[in-house]
């Protein structure tokens, strides 16, 4: 998955956003977002594997193959309006994730 909203930004804005964002390791089972909750950040998977909660089956499903999730809640960066997560996503393994805050993104993207 690509962050289309980043393609229109200048190099300076992208550098500022990256510098102000957080990259960290997360242990398995860390909840990144819950379906229906307002998303405050976009998460980019650098390494590891995520899992998605399947409400129909009432269980976690591994994010692999063509269903692999590498970007979580990317839509939150597209608009100043609140965005509600469409999935419940957590870490399945130790994951390295880049967290881009919506507030930081909108601050530098608007320059």
């Amino acid at each position: 998955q690509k962050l289309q909203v980043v393609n229109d930004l200048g190099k300076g804005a992208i550098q500022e956003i990256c510098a102000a964002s957080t990259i960290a390791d997360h242990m398995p089972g860390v909840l990144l977002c819950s379906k229906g909750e307002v998303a405050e950040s976009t998460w980019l998977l650098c390494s590891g594997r995520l899992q998605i909660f399947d409400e129909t089956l009432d269980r976690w499903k591994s994010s692999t193959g063509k269903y692999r999730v590498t970007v979580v809640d990317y839509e939150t960066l597209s608009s100043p309006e609140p965005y509600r997560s469409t999935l419940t996503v957590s870490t399945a393994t130790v994951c390295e994730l880049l967290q881009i805050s919506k507030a930081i993104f909108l601050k530098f993207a608007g320059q």
Side-chain angles (χ1 to χ4, degrees):
Q1 294 173 325
K2 293 185 179 181
L3 287 175
Q4 187 63 38
V5 294
V6 175
N7 289 345
D8 298 331
L9 299 178
K11 185 177 180 180
I14 293 171
Q15 289 173 335
E16 293 286 348
I17 291 165
C18 288
S21 296
T22 306
I23 192 161
D25 291 330
H26 298 274
M27 298 303 293
V30 173
L31 190 64
L32 302 178
C33 64
S34 296
K35 184 176 180 177
E37 297 287 321
V38 174
E40 300 295 332
S41 298
T42 291
W43 299 87
L44 299 163
L45 180 66
C46 301
S47 66
R49 193 177 75 247
L50 301 175
Q51 58 187 1
I52 301 165
F53 189 74
D54 185 326
E55 293 178 348
T56 307
L57 300 175
D58 195 31
R59 68 179 178 93
W60 290 97
K61 291 173 53 177
S62 184
S63 167
T64 58
K66 69 178 184 175
Y67 300 108
R68 180 180 163 109
V69 173
T70 57
V71 181
V72 178
D73 287 339
Y74 64 89
E75 298 93 339
T76 195
L77 303 180
S78 301
S79 167
E81 299 300 318
Y83 171 77
R84 295 192 180 275
S85 297
T86 58
L87 299 170
T88 298
V89 180
S90 76
T91 55
T93 63
V94 173
C95 292
E96 183 179 41
L97 293 154
L98 175 68
Q99 181 181 10
I100 303 173
S101 157
K102 178 177 187 155
I104 288 171
F105 181 85
L106 292 176
K107 175 183 173 184
F108 292 113
Q111 291 182 347

